[in-house]
Amino acid sequence: MDTPMPEGPALAPVHKPDLMSVADAKAMDVPTMTELFKAHLNPGQLHFMKLLGFHKIKIERAEGMEYVDQNGRHILDFFGGFGSLALGHNHPRILETRKAFQDERRHEIAMAFLSQYAAALAHNIAACSPGDLDMVFLGSSGSEAMEAALKVAERAAGPDRPMVVYAENSFHGKTKGVLSVTDGPLYRGEFKLLGDNIRVPFGDIDAVEAAFRAHPSIGVICLETIQGGGGIIEAPTAYWQKLRALCDDYGVIWVADEVQCGLGRTGRFYAFEHHGVVPDVTALAKSLGGGKCAMAAMIARREIYMKAYGTPKTAMIHAQATFGGIGEASVTALETINILYEEGLIDNAAETGAYLIAELKRLQAKYPKIIKDVRGQGFMVGLEFHDFSQTLPAVLRPAVAVLDDKLKGSLSGFVGALLLRDHDILVAFTEYNRNVIRLEPPLICERAHVDRFIEGFDALLGRGITAIVRDFVKSQVS
């Protein structure tokens, strides 16, 4: 005789907890935002936001190149969400496309059926991709796209070649797979990461060749075409062309991370196009969502994809996830790609980006003791300051030089905070080289926006280091 299962405890009626509404969120004041961020999101991050003065600002809306805060203040966006805003904020065609999709009650999740929107997006991405990059996996984030890229490459390389080469100062994402090829103790923490990886200096083709020669089990090399978190670091054309030849010679699959530098940011759809080469696998994200949704894609050569997932038995090993190719995100990305070409934004990134770099180099010549380097392509620009001691009078340098490591990032932080406070300009920073300010404005940026930025930056540097430090300190106690 079966033993009856014990009954569960009597449950109280379901009561709605003390929830906030959308209207409550919209009306929230800055002190309440700060309190909830500290209580439920990231109290440690709040410390850095306070240093920069970012915690005082409540963004009410955004349009084009600007944020508008609670006081009606217009903030020029040269940050661009780390390259997520190619079209700027709330591009009218994107808003129209998404509203039409909603109004027509079209389908979002169609996992049981074919999706016309995902299919059309995959076609468009393949059409924009050179060579035989034509098999697409759709996801929601750069980390997810890069996970897909490494997985397809690993399977195509085969079980006897599991080792992956990656670069110093690389950043490929924060999920555990790509974290294993992301360089830097801050993000790697004490997580138990995947083994079988070899780190080489970025841009050192001899180190790559030595690794390939010494380790026949290397099957994949994974590199950002331009290192974003590393401080906007590029490698010359000769490096990429030799890399392509080495990968062909040794049978190694090249994965190019274009999550940040792709989608026209450098003046070409992909940054690797500047060098006349084509990788075996690549990835896009960030701006693919048109600034209104999370969308990402992995793109692989058909031969690579079919080796990995080309049979009915293997097809579902890494098929679309629940939200991969979701309807509204797909049509948003479809419209985004069309806008890039129809509004000439890729060409604008090349032309106006060159103007921005030229103007920054002019300021470098004007302030050589402050600005160490200006580098990048299009609207992916790195502005590096000297170590703090080198910006001071010669008599003070020896005493301060011993503190340079501890002071790294201080000048870029001071400048970033004061640009926002005094000139209504938002800039970004980099993960590994803290002396670098990262400029990634939307691709709709015009010369007038560049001039406004340059004018504010020039005026700030013109105060001199002593005044910059004094003004920042005052901002912290006021």
Side-chain angles (χ1 to χ4, degrees):
M1 182 175 179
D2 292 337
T3 303
M5 294 293 291
E7 294 184 5
L11 299 178
V14 174
H15 293 288
K16 181 182 177 183
D18 183 17
L19 301 178
M20 301 188 79
S21 67
V22 174
D24 292 333
K26 180 180 177 181
M28 191 183 300
D29 59 20
V30 171
T32 304
M33 290 168 57
T34 303
E35 178 186 338
L36 294 181
F37 190 96
K38 184 176 181 180
H40 302 298
L41 285 171
N42 194 328
Q45 185 181 357
L46 185 61
H47 165 76
F48 297 103
M49 297 178 76
K50 286 182 175 179
L51 283 177
L52 295 167
F54 292 178
H55 70 298
K56 299 176 182 178
I57 295 171
K58 176 188 175 184
I59 298 300
E60 295 286 3
R61 59 187 180 87
E63 185 174 355
M65 287 289 298
E66 294 183 329
Y67 290 103
V68 182
D69 76 359
Q70 72 272 27
N71 301 313
R73 172 188 181 198
H74 288 248
I75 299 169
L76 181 64
D77 186 5
F78 263 60
F79 172 13
F82 293 123
S84 298
L85 291 160
L87 310 185
H89 298 274
N90 287 307
H91 192 288
R93 283 178 57 177
I94 294 295
L95 298 183
E96 182 181 350
T97 295
R98 290 169 65 84
K99 185 175 187 305
F101 191 92
Q102 296 166 13
D103 289 347
E104 295 169 13
R105 299 181 181 273
R106 302 191 219 168
H107 67 78
E108 292 285 4
I109 298 172
M111 295 184 70
F113 309 104
L114 297 174
S115 168
Q116 61 269 51
Y117 313 117
L121 176 57
H123 167 273
N124 281 10
I125 292 172
C128 294
S129 302
D132 53 355
L133 289 167
D134 59 4
M135 298 298 291
V136 177
F137 170 90
L138 298 175
S140 301
S141 71
S143 292
E144 186 182 3
M146 285 302 298
E147 292 278 0
L150 286 177
K151 288 179 74 175
V152 74
E154 179 183 333
R155 281 190 57 81
D160 296 330
R161 306 189 67 178
M163 298 186 76
V164 179
V165 176
Y166 69 102
E168 292 177 0
N169 294 324
S170 60
F171 182 87
H172 298 291
K174 295 179 182 177
T175 51
K176 284 193 71 172
V178 288
L179 190 57
S180 301
V181 292
T182 288
D183 189 32
L186 174 65
Y187 297 119
R188 293 169 74 92
E190 297 178 357
F191 297 110
K192 185 174 177 56
L193 302 178
L194 304 178
D196 292 328
N197 300 327
I198 297 175
R199 186 180 67 168
V200 298
F202 182 73
D204 187 340
I205 199 64
D206 293 335
V208 173
E209 186 169 12
F212 285 5
R213 188 184 304 116
H215 301 280
S217 58
I218 290 173
V220 179
I221 183 167
C222 178
L223 300 168
E224 296 161 274
T225 312
I226 300 177
Q227 289 192 323
I232 315 299
I233 305 299
E234 300 177 88
T237 292
Y239 171 85
W240 297 110
Q241 293 184 346
K242 184 69 181 294
L243 176 71
R244 179 69 275 175
L246 283 175
C247 287
D248 292 340
D249 290 344
Y250 284 87
V252 174
I253 295 171
W254 169 23
V255 175
D257 183 342
E258 293 261 341
V259 166
Q260 188 170 150
C261 59
L263 283 156
R265 178 149 296 279
T266 67
R268 303 292 294 182
F269 190 85
Y270 292 104
F272 59 71
E273 292 181 79
H274 290 286
H275 309 295
V277 290
V278 181
D280 301 299
V281 186
T282 189
L284 298 168
K286 293 189 182 291
S287 284
L288 188 58
K292 294 301 289 185
C293 69
M295 171 57 81
M298 177 278 291
I299 312 97
R301 292 172 49 219
R302 177 172 292 274
E303 177 187 1
I304 300 294
Y305 186 90
M306 295 305 285
K307 279 183 181 179
Y309 310 126
T311 69
K313 184 178 179 181
T314 60
M316 301 304 291
I317 290 174
H318 199 88
Q320 302 294 129
T322 305
F323 297 108
I326 190 170
E328 190 171 330
S330 289
V331 298
T332 303
L334 276 168
E335 188 70 358
T336 295
I337 294 173
N338 278 282
I339 291 169
L340 284 177
Y341 288 99
E342 291 170 9
E343 298 191 0
L345 299 186
I346 299 176
D347 290 337
N348 183 62
E351 295 164 10
T352 310
Y355 176 65
L356 169 63
I357 291 171
E359 286 292 283
L360 287 171
K361 287 184 179 292
R362 179 177 64 81
L363 292 187
Q364 182 185 7
K366 186 175 180 180
Y367 304 104
K369 293 182 179 179
I370 300 177
I371 300 176
K372 179 180 179 179
D373 193 21
V374 174
R375 54 182 177 263
Q377 288 198 52
F379 284 136
M380 190 170 183
V381 179
L383 176 69
E384 184 173 1
F385 294 113
H386 286 288
D387 283 338
F388 201 83
S389 66
Q390 300 305 303
T391 68
L392 300 174
V395 67
L396 298 176
R397 290 177 191 171
V400 179
V402 297
L403 299 173
D404 274 339
D405 282 343
K406 291 184 177 180
L407 291 173
K408 262 197 191 307
S410 56
L411 183 54
S412 58
F414 298 165
V415 169
L418 294 175
L419 276 174
L420 179 61
R421 190 194 73 175
D422 299 341
H423 299 281
D424 302 332
I425 296 169
L426 179 66
V427 298
F429 309 97
T430 62
E431 284 87 348
Y432 301 131
N433 187 342
R434 289 171 291 158
N435 282 348
V436 176
I437 281 181
R438 181 173 2 188
L439 304 175
E440 295 186 353
L443 308 193
I444 61 171
C445 181
E446 300 173 357
R447 283 197 172 209
H449 299 120
V450 172
D451 291 341
R452 178 179 161 191
F453 167 75
I454 293 294
E455 180 181 352
F457 187 48
D458 188 5
L460 180 56
L461 296 187
R463 300 179 193 179
I465 294 300
T466 302
I468 289 173
V469 174
R470 181 196 64 220
D471 292 346
F472 177 79
V473 172
K474 283 184 177 179
S475 74
Q476 296 301 299
V477 297
S478 60

